[in-house]
Amino acid sequence: MPGVLFFAFFAVVPMGLAFYLSFTSWDGLGDPRPVGLDNWRKLIDDDRMVQSLWLTVLLTAASWVFQTVIALLLGVWAAGRQRNRAVLSAIFFVPFLLSSTAIALLFYALLDPNFGIIRENILGSSSGAFLAIVFIGGWQFIPFHTLIYQGGARQIPEVLYQAAAIDGAGRYRQFFSITLPQLRHTVTTSTVLLVVGSLTYFETVLILTKGGPGTDTAILPYLMYEAGFKSYDFGYASAIASFLVVAATGLSLILVRLTGFGSMRSTREGM
Amino acid sequence: MSHDTLPRPRPAKTEERPTPPPPQRRRKHWTKRGNPVSGLGSVIWLAIVVVPIYAMLSASLTSQDKALTGNPLNPPTSPTLDNYNTVLNSGFGHLLSNTAIVAVAVVAIVLGLSVPIAYVAVRTRNRWSGLAFRLFLLGVAIPAQAVVVPLYLLIAKLNLYDSLLAVILPTAAFAMPVSVLVLVGTLRDVSEDLYEAMALDGASPQRMLFQLAIPLAKGGISTVVIFAALQAWNGFLFPLIFTQSDGPRVLTLGLFNYVSQFGVNIPALLASVVLSGIPIFAVYLVARRALVGGLMGVGGK
């Protein structure tokens, strides 16, 4: 099947190639030169890498909490059927249509200390810049996850709520005893997509903070971009990239296992 | 599940159940009681979504000197289209046509390849198709960031660097996993009996694909089209790394460059953001049902 080959050539082969390149030194011109474990040794010793890893984990965790809570509540709410919900849901979806670049620029303008809504240098403080990135990620992707939860919530059989009502369960009881457990596969799906997605908050960082202030928002993908396409140290960049692939795949697999869903099939079922 | 039916009340399967209270009422009751809290929450979120968009529109209509003195939340006192003129006169059309070429090409490649793949994955059960399917599942978890360095090597070796193809090919490849998953989800819903009936009539596999599977999978296909187009339209990383000159520059990269080009001319910058969103917003208005329904409904059982 040519399709499989095409995909393999541009996505799977490069993954292997990234691993190979991580054992070489290459400046983007000429041919890669094998250097053994040098890049990996450098990776382990690099203070920036440690900071960056910690930052990436923190960013992912913060994004998960922010996006999952809001998307879950909005999704369940939007699964109802009144007219204003349809209209509001349509408006809620708009941020997802804009590119990350456009959104980063929009907030670049709105957070500008001379121009913006809040005339303070938010991006100049490290916690401010971090929170701004979490917020902007949520602004962009909550619509998408809301949609996933909305779809999930609509699949919950009505009968369950009827039975619960007969047993005298209140609204909150129903939410925690029926809605949440029934949505657990949806939560898995959304979480996997979210975790993999937040490993790639690259545009926002590049446009908004350039990793700053200092290196306080230099997440792993940004560090990799700097190493490769700014310092032309492609071997080292590949080591970071390989680490990223392993972390992302490992994390997705763990998440899928932990939530008791034996195969990645949930990705499809939840969508 | 057809997306057309989503916003309408679903046929109450429980109708024959005499259990009081009747289903319709029950649901209403359930949502009504949630209204104060969740209603308030949704209004707050509405503000969070709308305020930045409103500020962007209003600022893009404000002249530069006024923008620096006023608050972007105030409506523009003397709206002007100057910012839009500035942007349109700085090569915006070129960016737009490049982006359109990329989007169309990506959609064509993705559709041409993932429809047959999904069809084969659903219809045949052997080791190879299973393996291929698993490969695509894995693909969902590959962050594009992680492979840009080796892709850069491949693109350079293929002599594609700094061309539109350098953007189109990897973008299409990365849109494939989700497309295949979505299409497999839809094609699974096509009943086996229909295939058997067609086979009895002596139809070839190709005929079954084109006359049965594709027409019945329209919902999934339109989702894939819109999703791939969205990815191509909004992609940033591949253009950033695989192109450098003005020739193959696409919209997102153009926006990125406007930051330095317009400097502190933030209203012009915002006008360019608005302009970049208009085409995709127009598609959204037309194809909202297909997009939302497709994302929400596919495989949702």
Side-chain angles (χ1 to χ4, degrees):
Chain A
M1 287 188 283
V4 177
L5 291 179
F6 173 77
F7 171 70
F9 186 71
F10 281 102
V12 182
V13 170
M15 241 183 12
L17 210 53
F19 198 59
Y20 164 72
L21 284 175
S22 73
F23 297 104
T24 69
S25 162
W26 184 45
D27 61 2
L29 305 163
D31 286 316
R33 189 168 44 84
V35 290
L37 286 170
D38 280 8
N39 291 318
W40 289 93
R41 234 173 261 137
K42 188 174 163 194
L43 193 72
I44 295 169
D45 289 339
D46 192 345
D47 286 344
R48 285 195 66 186
M49 172 73 190
V50 176
Q51 185 205 15
S52 180
L53 179 62
W54 171 236
L55 204 64
T56 310
V57 171
L58 210 62
L59 184 72
T60 308
S63 303
W64 184 82
V65 173
F66 179 49
Q67 297 188 26
T68 303
V69 169
I70 295 182
L72 182 64
L73 294 176
L74 280 178
V76 170
W77 172 80
R81 271 171 267 270
Q82 275 100 333
R83 186 158 176 75
N84 67 335
R85 285 169 203 245
V87 175
L88 281 187
S89 302
I91 298 173
F92 288 165
F93 198 68
V94 170
F96 185 66
L97 298 171
L98 290 169
S99 62
S100 303
T101 320
I103 290 175
L105 283 181
L106 165 60
F107 282 96
Y108 169 87
L110 294 183
L111 295 175
D112 185 288
N114 298 315
F115 170 85
I117 303 183
I118 310 162
R119 306 219 163 174
E120 256 172 74
N121 194 1
I122 293 174
L123 297 176
S125 86
S126 65
S127 58
F130 179 84
L131 289 177
I133 291 170
V134 172
F135 175 80
I136 293 167
W139 195 78
Q140 179 176 14
F141 290 113
I142 282 175
F144 176 66
H145 294 283
T146 299
L147 201 62
I148 295 181
Y149 285 115
Q150 189 180 350
R154 288 225 174 130
Q155 304 297 328
I156 302 174
E158 202 76 24
V159 194
L160 292 178
Y161 292 106
Q162 295 167 17
I166 291 166
D167 289 348
R171 157 131 182 82
Y172 293 98
R173 186 72 203 278
Q174 286 182 13
F175 179 79
F176 286 106
S177 312
I178 300 174
T179 312
L180 269 187
Q182 287 283 318
L183 285 177
R184 65 185 186 281
H185 294 324
T186 319
V187 174
T188 312
T189 307
S190 155
T191 301
V192 170
L193 292 174
L194 200 151
V195 167
V196 176
S198 68
L199 287 176
T200 61
Y201 280 4
F202 169 73
E203 283 103 316
T204 319
V205 169
L206 178 68
I207 292 169
L208 223 53
T209 66
K210 298 225 166 16
T215 55
D216 287 348
T217 54
I219 51 171
L220 280 176
Y222 185 78
L223 201 66
M224 186 220 65
Y225 169 77
E226 271 203 342
F229 298 92
K230 285 244 162 101
S231 316
Y232 300 104
D233 187 352
F234 287 103
Y236 189 48
S238 297
I240 303 177
S242 307
F243 180 79
L244 208 60
V245 172
V246 174
T249 347
L251 213 56
S252 317
L253 287 178
I254 292 171
L255 283 171
V256 168
R257 278 276 145 76
L258 276 186
T259 38
F261 218 70
S263 71
M264 276 291 276
R265 211 154 275 186
S266 60
T267 306
R268 197 189 64 245
E269 298 201 344
M271 285 184 76
Chain B
M1 171 176 202
S2 160
H3 51 264
D4 294 323
T5 60
L6 275 177
R8 276 174 244 137
R10 114 171 60 158
K13 284 181 205 130
T14 42
E15 220 150 50
E16 55 285 25
R17 226 171 260 269
T19 340
Q24 233 36 7
R25 285 215 69 95
R26 172 80 222 112
R27 168 61 99 167
K28 246 188 192 156
H29 184 47
W30 177 66
T31 48
K32 213 171 228 164
R33 267 200 287 166
N35 263 346
V37 180
S38 60
L40 184 69
S42 65
V43 168
I44 292 174
W45 187 250
L46 181 70
I48 293 177
V49 168
V50 167
V51 167
I53 294 176
Y54 162 75
M56 168 170 74
L57 288 173
S58 119
S60 72
L61 293 170
T62 312
S63 67
Q64 199 193 341
D65 45 329
K66 282 216 178 101
L68 280 172
T69 52
N71 188 304
L73 291 181
N74 297 336
T77 40
S78 46
T80 162
L81 286 174
D82 285 355
N83 300 311
Y84 287 92
N85 268 329
T86 312
V87 175
L88 288 173
N89 289 331
S90 60
F92 196 83
H94 177 64
L95 298 174
L96 204 65
S97 69
N98 272 347
T99 310
I101 293 171
V102 170
V104 170
V106 165
V107 167
I109 294 175
V110 167
L111 219 52
L113 292 178
S114 54
V115 169
I117 290 176
Y119 180 71
V120 170
V122 172
R123 295 286 294 150
T124 59
R125 316 203 186 288
N126 61 40
R127 237 159 40 116
W128 288 110
S129 76
L131 198 72
F133 186 63
R134 232 164 261 148
L135 194 70
F136 283 106
L137 282 177
L138 179 75
V140 177
I142 303 177
Q145 266 78 358
V147 296
V148 287
V149 172
L151 267 179
Y152 176 73
L153 179 70
L154 281 180
I155 297 279
K157 294 274 179 214
L158 291 171
N159 270 330
L160 290 175
Y161 182 73
D162 204 23
S163 71
L164 279 181
L165 265 182
V167 177
I168 292 169
L169 296 177
T171 306
F174 273 86
M176 297 252 319
V178 173
S179 310
V180 170
L181 294 187
V182 167
L183 287 173
V184 164
T186 348
L187 285 177
R188 260 211 186 126
D189 290 349
V190 178
S191 155
E192 197 66 30
D193 299 346
L194 291 174
Y195 288 117
E196 273 165 23
M198 271 193 95
L200 279 180
D201 290 345
S204 66
Q206 281 81 6
R207 253 199 82 190
M208 287 199 236
L209 173 63
F210 284 105
Q211 300 204 331
L212 176 67
I214 291 182
L216 285 175
K218 255 193 206 136
I221 288 176
S222 43
T223 305
V224 166
V225 168
I226 296 170
F227 211 63
L230 202 64
Q231 261 181 295
W233 194 270
N234 290 341
F236 176 73
L237 184 71
F238 293 145
L240 174 72
I241 287 171
F242 302 142
T243 69
Q244 61 173 27
S245 65
D246 285 344
R249 185 168 294 162
V250 295
L251 209 51
T252 48
L253 208 53
L255 287 181
F256 180 53
N257 284 334
Y258 281 151
V259 177
S260 44
Q261 193 178 328
F262 291 144
V264 290
N265 191 353
I266 287 180
L269 196 64
L270 288 176
S272 69
V273 173
V274 174
L275 283 175
S276 80
I278 286 177
I280 210 91
F281 188 70
V283 172
Y284 174 62
L285 286 183
V286 176
R288 198 186 98 75
R289 285 272 159 90
L291 174 63
V292 173
L295 285 178
M296 189 162 62
V298 167
K301 57 165 79 112

